[in-house]
Amino acid sequence: MSTVRLTTAQALVRFLAAQYAERDGERHRLIAATWGIFGHGNVAGIGQALVEDPGAMPFHQGRNEQAMVHAAVGYARQSRRLSAHAVTTSIGPGATNLVTGAALATINRLPVLLLPGDTFATRPADPVLQQLQLPSAGDVSVNDCLRPVSVYFDRVARPEALVPAALEAVRTLADPAATGAVTLALPQDVQAEAYDWPEEFFAERTWRVRRPRPDAAELDAAVRAVRAAERPLVVAGGGVKYSGAEEALRAFAERAGLPVATTQAGKGVLPYDHPCDVGGVGHTGTETAAALARTADLVIGVGTRYTDFTTASGTLFPGDARFLNLNVTGFDAHKQAALPLVADAREGLTALTDALDGHRSRDPEEWAAAKRDWQRRVDTAYAVPAEDARPTQTQVLGALDTLVDASDILINAAGSLPGDLHRLWRPRSADQYHIEYGYSCMGYEIPAAIGVLLAAPGRPVWALVGDGTYLMNPTEIVTAVQERLPLRLVVLQNHGYASIGGLSEAVGAERYGTDYRYRDADGGFTGPPLPVDLGANAASLGMRVLRPRTVRDLREALKEARAATVPTCVYVETETPDTVSGPPPAAAWWDVPVAETSTRPSAVKAREEYDRHVTARRRHL
């Protein structure tokens, strides 16, 4: 057997450069690039390996380890999970900073390869810098905190152990039913150790992304359930997008006459003006979808995880509703005590459509009037009474709505924006709406936008963030500047956590600790907003900053940003919504437990409201 002598890190980089994913005849590089922040633990290993063969692996320099994972996740989502990025860090805090990003990737079923440095496998000194010492477990390092948030974890304690570990890692990344964060912990001495590797290890490998077809018995049961239903409703999730099943869903809905409601991850699978689309479903959804959900006798979930926002914490769907779940993973297909249809979304929808043989359940005219009424409410929320007024948050969305076309991509993850967008946004294309609401991670938007820009060069990409989210993670602005990526950042400054402030008020916590104000002697928060200028901060990191003061200015600033070829920030001081312009209220409940006993009237009243809602919870068994 022919061998080649390389360090473990050099071998890993060469191996990853030769891995490909293929689906429907389209071949993609599985690991398209590596993100890295170097320190002890990876600078002499992975860092040296990237320099040794610079043409093998494109490299992106990050500023924050969590942010690098977010960028990789943004890239993977835009690539429909067919291509991913790797992330390398030093040992210690560099590695533990990966945990939040890893959790986000795994929760959202999105592939990312994590390569944290680890302490010495040979233990020449004990402890070394940044080593965790547990008297009861000598083989534990801080990297073990990545185990519960990874779908696959291995510590490569010997060079030869890399062969099975690397093969299993890329197999997992390419498996749509198993993918998420994959972690290979790499001790720093092992990274630098030389070994005679079999040349076959570096041969090109193509991992075919399976499209499993439905089991005949499950398909037969599904068809019977659809035919028997009088008021079926489709709930479409992110799995539709990852499968590329939008056209199959459209055909299924049109031929069977089915209303399609969408989760945060699924919004956009049908354009907003399609007759079968009824908008977002759940706590942040539309009244149109909520009304259909409350009367549905069969809920057909396609590629959804049924989070509490989708089900309104178990209060949205009738107690006697049955569920039929089409999902590539059996774990998700069986949720809600459903009839499972374990299959690829596109293959399953096509099989269902063919097997129904022209059966039609409903007529879109049933909900057409409700859809028109909802769009009038969206128009009202977007309305601008005066062009010279300071815009509200919904008016900012309205200004964007008039500007974008199907090529634009909007990215958001946390705060009040996901709710407003899920209710109001009118998606023009399947991938325009990029809202990370599986983990709802503040700080996701800016790095994720960079990942999307790398996956979709030439398309206008917008990161929409509130001031709270911006303060969590602005570091990758520097990366966008370094890589000359035309990131379009819209910062909405309302001087506090508006979303959690509203929730705090609703549950009797009286907005405590949610405004950006001075702290008084009694521990309260009083006075005017803090003199914080996030626009100046963005400018200091290299962005061009536009500062619209009025709605008229805003329209021009957004137009200028969309045409920009350099990273550009639109910094907007937003007005509190008035009775003329504001988002419609929540269409359904969300469970946030309220203090069962309190001396404060606000909390007592909030508990009474909570008790009223919680009685409507249903378990579907």
Side-chain angles (χ1 to χ4, degrees):
M1 178 185 294
S2 298
T3 61
V4 56
R5 191 163 182 80
L6 299 168
T7 68
T8 303
Q10 292 165 357
L12 178 58
V13 170
R14 185 176 295 191
F15 169 82
L16 293 176
Q19 306 306 303
Y20 291 83
E22 182 180 16
R23 188 177 72 180
D24 301 335
E26 293 186 11
R27 192 166 180 255
H28 307 264
R29 185 159 166 170
L30 182 59
I31 304 299
T34 293
W35 289 84
I37 296 176
F38 295 115
H40 86 99
N42 70 338
V43 66
I46 297 292
Q48 191 282 329
L50 291 168
V51 171
E52 184 80 14
D53 189 4
M57 178 66 65
F59 175 74
H60 302 293
Q61 182 180 350
R63 271 73 195 176
N64 173 281
E65 290 87 358
Q66 180 189 139
M68 292 194 297
V69 187
H70 293 336
V73 168
Y75 177 89
R77 175 168 171 169
Q78 185 63 31
S79 302
R80 301 197 180 202
R81 304 196 300 201
L82 298 175
S83 186
H85 283 170
V87 177
T88 178
T89 73
S90 62
I91 66 174
T96 55
N97 281 348
L98 295 173
V99 173
T100 297
L104 182 147
T106 294
I107 285 171
N108 285 284
R109 318 286 203 261
L110 289 165
V112 60
L113 177 60
L114 307 180
L115 305 173
D118 212 330
T119 50
F120 286 86
T122 53
R123 304 185 191 179
D126 195 29
V128 296
L129 179 65
Q130 298 176 333
Q131 178 180 340
L132 175 70
Q133 274 195 306
L134 297 180
S136 61
D139 62 342
V140 171
S141 82
V142 296
N143 286 348
D144 286 273
C145 66
L146 286 160
R147 288 183 185 270
V149 292
S150 299
V151 293
Y152 176 77
F153 178 99
D154 200 355
R155 178 174 284 112
V156 183
R158 289 291 308 144
E160 56 267 35
L162 178 66
V163 174
L167 288 167
E168 184 61 20
V170 296
R171 183 204 67 78
T172 304
L173 289 168
D175 185 345
T179 197
V182 169
T183 299
L184 295 180
L186 302 170
Q188 58 177 319
D189 51 345
V190 177
Q191 286 186 50
E193 186 174 346
Y195 183 74
D196 293 323
W197 304 89
E199 286 191 345
E200 290 83 354
F201 184 52
F202 307 114
E204 283 193 4
R205 283 182 172 82
T206 299
W207 301 84
R208 286 182 172 79
V209 180
R210 297 188 300 277
R211 286 195 180 277
R213 296 180 178 180
D215 173 79
E218 289 186 353
L219 179 61
D220 183 59
V223 170
R224 290 198 306 270
V226 176
R227 286 183 177 276
E230 296 181 359
R231 300 176 305 279
L233 170 69
V234 176
V235 174
V240 177
K241 294 184 179 182
Y242 303 144
S243 171
E246 294 89 351
E247 287 304 314
L249 176 65
R250 182 197 295 261
F252 176 58
E254 288 176 351
R255 290 178 61 179
L258 295 171
V260 178
T262 52
T263 68
Q264 285 279 16
K267 188 176 173 75
V269 292
L270 293 181
Y272 77 95
D273 55 355
H274 188 281
C276 292
D277 178 74
V278 296
V281 67
H283 176 64
T284 54
T286 69
E287 288 287 357
T288 311
L292 289 164
R294 291 187 179 107
T295 60
D297 60 351
L298 179 68
V299 181
I300 306 169
V302 184
T304 178
R305 300 186 300 120
Y306 286 111
T307 68
D308 59 340
F309 261 59
T310 298
T311 67
S313 298
T315 65
L316 184 57
F317 303 108
D320 59 353
R322 299 182 68 195
F323 287 77
L324 164 63
N325 291 342
L326 167 57
N327 204 291
V328 74
T329 69
F331 174 71
D332 289 318
H334 282 83
K335 289 178 177 176
Q336 307 294 102
L339 284 171
L341 189 60
V342 181
D344 170 76
R346 191 190 74 181
E347 295 301 310
L349 286 167
T350 301
L352 261 178
T353 304
D354 292 343
L356 284 168
D357 192 25
H359 170 79
R360 192 166 180 82
S361 298
R362 309 182 74 164
D363 188 330
E365 284 302 313
E366 289 182 43
W367 55 85
K371 272 195 67 172
R372 289 191 294 270
D373 178 66
W374 183 258
Q375 289 305 320
R376 284 192 289 268
R377 295 181 70 181
V378 174
D379 291 337
T380 299
Y382 285 169
V384 178
E387 288 284 321
D388 58 352
R390 192 163 70 173
T392 65
Q393 179 167 290
T394 50
Q395 289 167 353
V396 174
L397 298 183
L400 263 177
D401 180 76
T402 63
L403 177 67
V404 303
D405 60 30
S407 66
D408 293 73
I409 301 170
L410 273 65
I411 299 171
N412 183 245
S416 57
L417 273 168
D420 289 356
L421 287 162
H422 199 208
R423 292 185 191 98
L424 305 175
W425 189 255
R426 296 159 168 162
R428 278 79 165 175
S429 62
D431 64 351
Q432 180 173 88
Y433 189 86
H434 183 128
I435 309 301
E436 188 287 299
Y437 217 55
Y439 209 39
S440 187
C441 185
M442 297 177 74
Y444 171 81
E445 295 90 341
I446 294 172
I450 292 172
V452 172
L453 282 162
L454 293 172
R459 293 181 63 178
V461 177
W462 302 84
L464 310 181
V465 304
D467 50 304
T469 291
Y470 180 91
L471 286 167
M472 290 280 184
N473 200 1
T475 57
E476 300 317 298
I477 287 174
V478 178
T479 303
V481 172
Q482 181 181 42
E483 304 232 357
R484 297 182 176 89
L485 296 171
L487 168 67
R488 295 153 184 91
L489 173 62
V490 178
V491 178
L492 304 176
Q493 172 62 282
N494 55 27
H495 300 284
Y497 300 117
S499 173
I500 207 67
L503 179 61
S504 173
E505 187 172 41
V507 300
E510 302 175 20
R511 292 185 177 265
Y512 183 79
T514 62
D515 289 337
Y516 295 157
R517 299 180 186 276
Y518 289 102
R519 194 76 179 262
D520 61 26
D522 297 325
F525 299 87
T526 59
L530 298 176
V532 174
D533 187 343
L534 302 182
N537 179 265
S540 75
L541 297 176
M543 289 200 95
R544 181 187 178 205
V545 178
L546 308 175
R547 295 174 175 268
R549 302 293 183 187
T550 68
V551 173
R552 183 182 296 105
D553 297 341
L554 173 66
R555 296 188 199 283
E556 292 303 314
L558 292 173
K559 186 183 300 183
E560 190 172 342
R562 190 173 187 271
T565 57
V566 297
T568 302
C569 171
V570 179
Y571 183 64
V572 189
E573 294 263 0
T574 57
E575 187 63 82
T576 302
D578 56 27
T579 57
V580 176
S581 180
W589 187 59
W590 181 47
D591 188 351
V592 177
V594 178
E596 194 168 0
T597 181
S598 175
T599 60
R600 301 185 73 85
S602 61
V604 172
K605 181 179 179 181
R607 181 66 195 198
E608 292 172 353
E609 184 71 6
Y610 178 82
D611 288 339
R612 183 178 69 83
H613 281 289
V614 79
T615 58
R617 192 195 313 277
R618 313 169 187 96
R619 288 197 182 277
H620 298 278
L621 299 172

